[in-house]
Amino acid sequence: MIQIAVLGYGTVGSGVVEVINTNHELINKKIGEEIQVKYVLDLRDFPEDPIQEKIVHDFQVILQDPEVKIVVEVMGGTEPAYTFVKQALEQGKSVCTSNKELVAKHGVELLEIARQKNINFLFEASCGGGIPIIRPLNTSLTADEIEEITGILNGTTNYILSKMAADGSDLEVVLKEAQEKGYAERNPSADVDGWDACRKIAILSSIAFGHHVDYQDIYTEGIMKITSTDIRYAKAWGANIKLLASCRKVENQYYAMVTPVMINSNSPLYSVNEVYNGILVHGNVLGDTMFYGSGAGKLPTASAVVSDVIDAAKHQDTNVMSGWSSQKLELGKISDLENRFFVRMSGSFTENLSRVEEVFGQVDAKVLAEVNGEFGFITEKMKEAEYLEKAAEFNNILGMIRVRF
Ligand code: HSE
């Protein structure tokens, strides 16, 4: 019998219990032993729920019980999650978590404790919800040098951008609707300002590159500046605007960023819509591989957490997760990265075009019949620093979005 404890009976925690109940026989068979939830830690009581008999309010009960071999942390936030997880690992209990803030901030240290204790700290659900990505990076793509990961890693913003594209609505309207439907948090900043995607790409790039990528070093822009007019222009180029989180190695220098990007149907990420996530990984020998699925939600996330529980149960005295070294990876400045740039400029197209071409060189320009007093153009590829230098010569630029096609 393998006894586990679940920290937090919120959306994901109750999902973990549900997945274990629904697939109990199948999970037991996979582990080769029966699994049982012995405790659920929560501040609240659930008198109407059979889970109540397992509820404890004091973490020490779990920590001091030698029968508990695996702790599932699904409370979110860094405290008290960090303290509890660290104590559990130091006590020789494997930990499975969905908590990207915890992994991005303390992953190096927690992985090292697990390695020293010959147990496991696993976090499949921290990136891409139910999509398998951590385990493939850790075990399947090991023959490759990973040169790039680009992903739609946030379901909330992808839902908002997809809805704006489908309905032509403004961001504020769609955001409000998403909040009413429960897709977006009441305080949506972590999602719409890009911080959630930033932590996820910090985790993925740390695993892919083997060194610690500090999420605070990652250049991050959210979607709040994207307007329905931007999306109209994107459509005129047969493109979509997506919030992309990416890391890449270019000539021995590593870069990571989170920004809205215009992509067209040549990109496999173009058709990743609604709350779905998609992650494109490029290896030096494999080429491209793509991971797609439910990036959030109770059962998809719980499915990934329980897959970690099964892994931890099957490897009780073996550390399976190769960590990333504590040595920090110094990221290159994004001003050195090459992109094309979509620019909106106020004023008349005919009066401005020659000056635009004089400064930017050849551009692909469009005037939209339904948008008055401005036009848009896409530059050729250039370094971001060069773009900024050229853009500074104009005082009528309304906005810029990076383009990858
Ligand atoms: N807020 C996150 C999202 C939840 O929208 O993707 C999953 O990490």
Side-chain angles (χ1 to χ4, degrees), residues 4 6 13 26 38 41 46 51-52 59 73 116 182 191 236 249 275 291 297 315 319 337 342 354 368 386 401:
I4 73 166
V6 179
L26 190 140
K38 183 164 186 184
L41 180 80
F46 299 86
I51 203 69
Q52 182 60 34
F59 178 63
E73 186 282 305
Q116 281 171 13
D191 293 317
K249 183 182 175 198
V275 290
F291 299 82
H315 299 100
N319 180 260
L337 272 180
F342 161 68
S354 59
L368 302 188
E386 192 187 341
I401 296 172

Side-chain angles (χ1 to χ4, degrees), residues 290-307:
M290 166 99 167
F291 299 82
Y292 170 84
S294 299
K298 174 175 167 168
L299 292 179
T301 309
S303 160
V305 175
V306 176
S307 79

Side-chain angles (χ1 to χ4, degrees), residues 237-294:
W237 267 285
N240 259 337
I241 298 170
K242 298 288 186 188
L243 184 68
L244 297 188
S246 64
C247 59
R248 42 184 149 146
K249 183 182 175 198
V250 184
E251 292 162 6
N252 290 325
Q253 182 63 59
Y254 295 88
Y255 300 89
M257 65 199 289
V258 177
T259 64
V261 180
M262 234 190 227
I263 52 175
N264 66 11
S265 59
N266 291 333
S267 166
L269 295 170
Y270 174 81
S271 308
V272 176
N273 286 317
E274 303 283 327
V275 290
Y276 286 95
N277 283 192
I279 308 158
L280 195 58
V281 180
H282 184 88
N284 68 333
V285 284
L286 167 76
D288 284 341
T289 183
M290 166 99 167
F291 299 82
Y292 170 84
S294 299

Side-chain angles (χ1 to χ4, degrees), residues 184-398:
E185 305 281 342
R186 253 183 312 147
N187 177 357
S189 175
D191 293 317
V192 298
D193 294 327
W195 306 121
D196 176 79
C198 165
R199 286 180 171 87
K200 290 169 178 168
I201 197 67
I203 296 169
L204 296 181
S205 42
S206 296
I207 297 172
F209 300 145
H211 292 288
H212 179 57
V213 175
D214 186 337
Y215 66 93
Q216 296 174 96
D217 292 345
I218 298 177
Y219 177 82
T220 300
E221 273 178 29
I223 64 163
M224 288 310 284
K225 283 190 300 195
I226 305 298
T227 65
S228 53
T229 307
D230 293 324
I231 289 182
R232 279 199 189 100
Y233 278 108
K235 281 187 175 171
W237 267 285
N240 259 337
I241 298 170
K242 298 288 186 188
L243 184 68
L244 297 188
S246 64
C247 59
R248 42 184 149 146
K249 183 182 175 198
V250 184
E251 292 162 6
N252 290 325
Q253 182 63 59
Y254 295 88
Y255 300 89
M257 65 199 289
V258 177
T259 64
V261 180
M262 234 190 227
I263 52 175
N264 66 11
S265 59
N266 291 333
S267 166
L269 295 170
Y270 174 81
S271 308
V272 176
N273 286 317
E274 303 283 327
V275 290
Y276 286 95
N277 283 192
I279 308 158
L280 195 58
V281 180
H282 184 88
N284 68 333
V285 284
L286 167 76
D288 284 341
T289 183
M290 166 99 167
F291 299 82
Y292 170 84
S294 299
K298 174 175 167 168
L299 292 179
T301 309
S303 160
V305 175
V306 176
S307 79
D308 279 347
V309 172
I310 294 170
D311 212 3
K314 282 167 75 176
H315 299 100
Q316 287 190 62
D317 298 306
T318 318
N319 180 260
V320 294
M321 182 72 202
S322 55
W324 58 78
S325 94
S326 57
Q327 197 190 340
K328 191 172 149 174
L329 191 68
E330 291 300 336
L331 295 175
K333 293 193 189 79
I334 68 150
S335 53
D336 292 337
L337 272 180
E338 279 198 333
N339 271 306
R340 297 179 77 193
F341 298 89
F342 161 68
V343 182
R344 277 172 59 196
M345 189 170 267
S346 66
S348 139
F349 170 64
T350 40
E351 282 169 21
N352 283 278
L353 186 64
S354 59
R355 175 81 183 124
V356 164
E357 290 197 321
E358 195 183 308
V359 175
F360 283 102
Q362 200 186 346
V363 296
D364 181 3
K366 284 195 197 303
V367 182
L368 302 188
E370 68 273 28
V371 180
N372 291 324
E374 63 168 271
F375 61 100
F377 61 89
I378 296 180
T379 69
E380 292 295 304
K381 238 183 189 187
M382 63 184 74
K383 286 197 170 166
E384 185 134 345
E386 192 187 341
Y387 164 76
L388 290 172
E389 208 174 281
K390 292 178 190 300
E393 295 197 30
F394 296 87
N395 59 10
N396 54 342
I397 289 181
L398 301 170

Side-chain angles (χ1 to χ4, degrees), residues 95-114:
V95 173
C96 309
T97 182
S98 59
N99 188 335
K100 60 238 159 185
E101 281 170 279
L102 175 74
V103 181
K105 197 162 180 195
H106 300 290
V108 177
E109 182 194 3
L110 299 172
L111 279 164
E112 181 52 25
I113 300 172

